[in-house]
Amino acid sequence: MKLHREALTPQMREYDRFFDPADLNYQPYLMYFHHPHFTSPIINTDRCGFRVSVGPDGEQASAGGPVGPGPVRVITGGSTALGIGATGDQNTLASLLWSRYAPSRPWLNFSGRCYNSTQEVLLFTLYRHLLPEIDEVVLFSGLNDLTVGRLPEWQQGDHGAFFFCGEYFEAMDDLKERNRKHSKVFGRRAERKSRVATFDDVRHDIGQVIDSAAELTLRHLDTWRRVAGPGTRISYVLQPMFLWMGKTWSPEEKLLFEEIDRISKLGTWEELYGDISTPQVARDFAEAIRVGCEKRDVRFYDLNPVVADAVGADDWMFVDRAHYTDKGHDVVAGLLAKTLGLS
């Protein structure tokens, strides 16, 4: 039987190939990033792994490719800002802003699949030297920080947890075990302390999750302000997410979401992320970020109610609960430019 996902969103097969866990591109400091020189009809990256943006006349730009003399504009975030779900590079938020809704400057896609706020600012810091003057930075983010904020306390550390960090800790424990075979501690070999996360380890205090995610995000906004430069306008935008918007699903969304829940090996969305997916959680997180942004000369916008007011129940906006269709990208890009006063 052909899956609804294959019939309705065939482009997702290319994203599956792009994100094949067996071929993950591990990177120093960042943990992982996209493969360089990835080519396909759906998604393409430059020599560093940045997704290519497409301008009004079909010209292309990226941090590791052609950029031009500047000024440029940057949009960053996780896989939603990266453009997962778009049927081509020309349909991502960065490309739509550059080609249609805010075309006065080229827009560069500085987003990373599964990135949290720590990785977002690290990526920018490591590759800032490739860019000319920047007059605008838009952080289109939020969901990943709340998601990894639920991970066990022992995985959080000083800088928060990250996606796949369980595999990281397991690999480090294996390395320590190998080293112990060649050394002795206090005259005897140290016993291995195995750490395996269970559901009981997950943070269930959502207030704590919101507070820690907001604290880390605001800490990193301080760094964005310093690295981007005093002349750069910075905006933090809480990304629209299906459940945060309180949207009624379209017929296509209903088919896709129910199928994704049915075939997921990890569990349904509600089982995995239901406690951080309510509109109230989005509002509470937005308020914490808004207050912090006011103190840092960073503009803040929650785009969830803006997009919710602009679409109807039958509008097919999402390929899953976090990522947009081409129509979703277009609607969000247009409202993003209008809300932020971009030209």
Side-chain angles (χ1 to χ4, degrees), residues 82 135-136 177 307:
L82 178 65
D135 71 355
E136 189 94 36
E177 179 67 14
V307 177

Side-chain angles (χ1 to χ4, degrees), residues 21-281:
D23 198 29
L24 193 61
N25 184 23
Y26 291 101
Q27 290 286 309
Y29 310 108
L30 295 169
M31 299 304 298
Y32 46 83
F33 193 48
H34 317 131
H35 280 277
H37 297 302
F38 187 92
T39 59
S40 78
I42 306 299
I43 179 170
N44 297 272
T45 62
D46 62 22
R47 64 181 179 86
C48 300
F50 291 97
R51 188 170 192 174
V52 171
S53 299
V54 181
D57 298 317
E59 65 268 45
Q60 297 183 351
S62 62
V67 177
V72 296
R73 293 171 171 176
V74 166
I75 185 168
T76 185
S79 55
T80 305
L82 178 65
I84 302 306
T87 59
D89 295 327
Q90 70 278 6
N91 299 115
T92 64
L93 296 178
S95 295
L96 290 166
L97 288 170
W98 184 13
S99 64
R100 186 176 306 173
Y101 294 111
S104 60
R105 298 278 190 268
W107 284 83
L108 304 182
N109 195 328
F110 249 79
S111 307
R113 182 242 178 173
C114 290
Y115 270 21
N116 60 19
S117 62
T118 307
Q119 291 160 309
E120 290 165 10
V121 74
L122 275 175
L123 182 70
F124 183 74
T125 302
L126 292 173
Y127 289 99
R128 173 65 182 90
H129 66 284
L130 296 179
L131 305 185
E133 178 187 353
I134 303 169
D135 71 355
E136 189 94 36
V137 169
V138 174
L139 293 94
F140 189 88
S141 194
L143 179 58
N144 285 354
D145 291 291
L146 287 170
T147 301
V148 297
R150 294 173 65 256
L151 293 177
E153 197 69 39
W154 61 266
Q155 294 183 353
Q156 298 295 330
D158 292 333
H159 306 291
F162 54 90
F163 281 99
F164 319 124
C165 67
E167 297 175 4
Y168 165 79
F169 287 118
E170 183 178 354
M172 293 301 101
D173 285 342
D174 287 341
L175 177 61
K176 291 177 183 178
E177 179 67 14
R178 292 197 299 272
N179 290 335
R180 288 188 186 104
K181 293 180 180 179
H182 303 287
S183 65
K184 292 185 177 180
V185 179
F186 299 114
R188 61 183 179 85
R189 185 168 295 171
E191 294 181 2
R192 177 176 180 175
K193 295 181 179 180
S194 179
R195 296 176 293 181
V196 178
T198 68
F199 179 77
D200 291 335
D201 295 327
V202 172
R203 285 173 163 178
H204 296 286
D205 184 341
I206 300 305
Q208 178 193 25
V209 172
I210 292 172
D211 289 344
S212 62
E215 190 276 327
L216 284 169
T217 299
L218 295 171
R219 184 199 306 175
H220 300 138
L221 283 175
D222 286 332
T223 305
W224 274 102
R225 169 51 64 204
R226 289 170 171 81
V227 177
T232 301
R233 187 169 68 169
I234 301 177
S235 302
Y236 185 97
V237 176
L238 184 60
Q239 64 190 88
M241 193 269 280
F242 180 84
L243 293 167
W244 286 349
M245 289 169 50
K247 184 183 183 300
T248 301
W249 49 22
S250 70
E252 297 88 352
E253 289 164 345
K254 178 177 172 61
L255 289 172
L256 288 168
F257 297 174
E258 289 181 342
E259 181 175 84
I260 291 170
D261 283 346
R262 186 172 64 253
I263 66 177
S264 172
K265 296 179 181 179
L266 298 177
T268 67
W269 181 281
E270 178 62 29
E271 291 169 343
L272 295 171
Y273 313 116
D275 52 2
I276 59 166
S277 296
T278 68
Q280 186 60 52
V281 167

Side-chain angles (χ1 to χ4, degrees), residues 5-22:
R5 184 173 184 264
E6 294 178 355
L8 294 173
T9 57
Q11 71 272 21
M12 298 306 289
R13 287 177 294 182
E14 200 63 34
Y15 290 111
D16 292 342
R17 185 171 75 90
F18 184 63
F19 297 143
D20 186 352

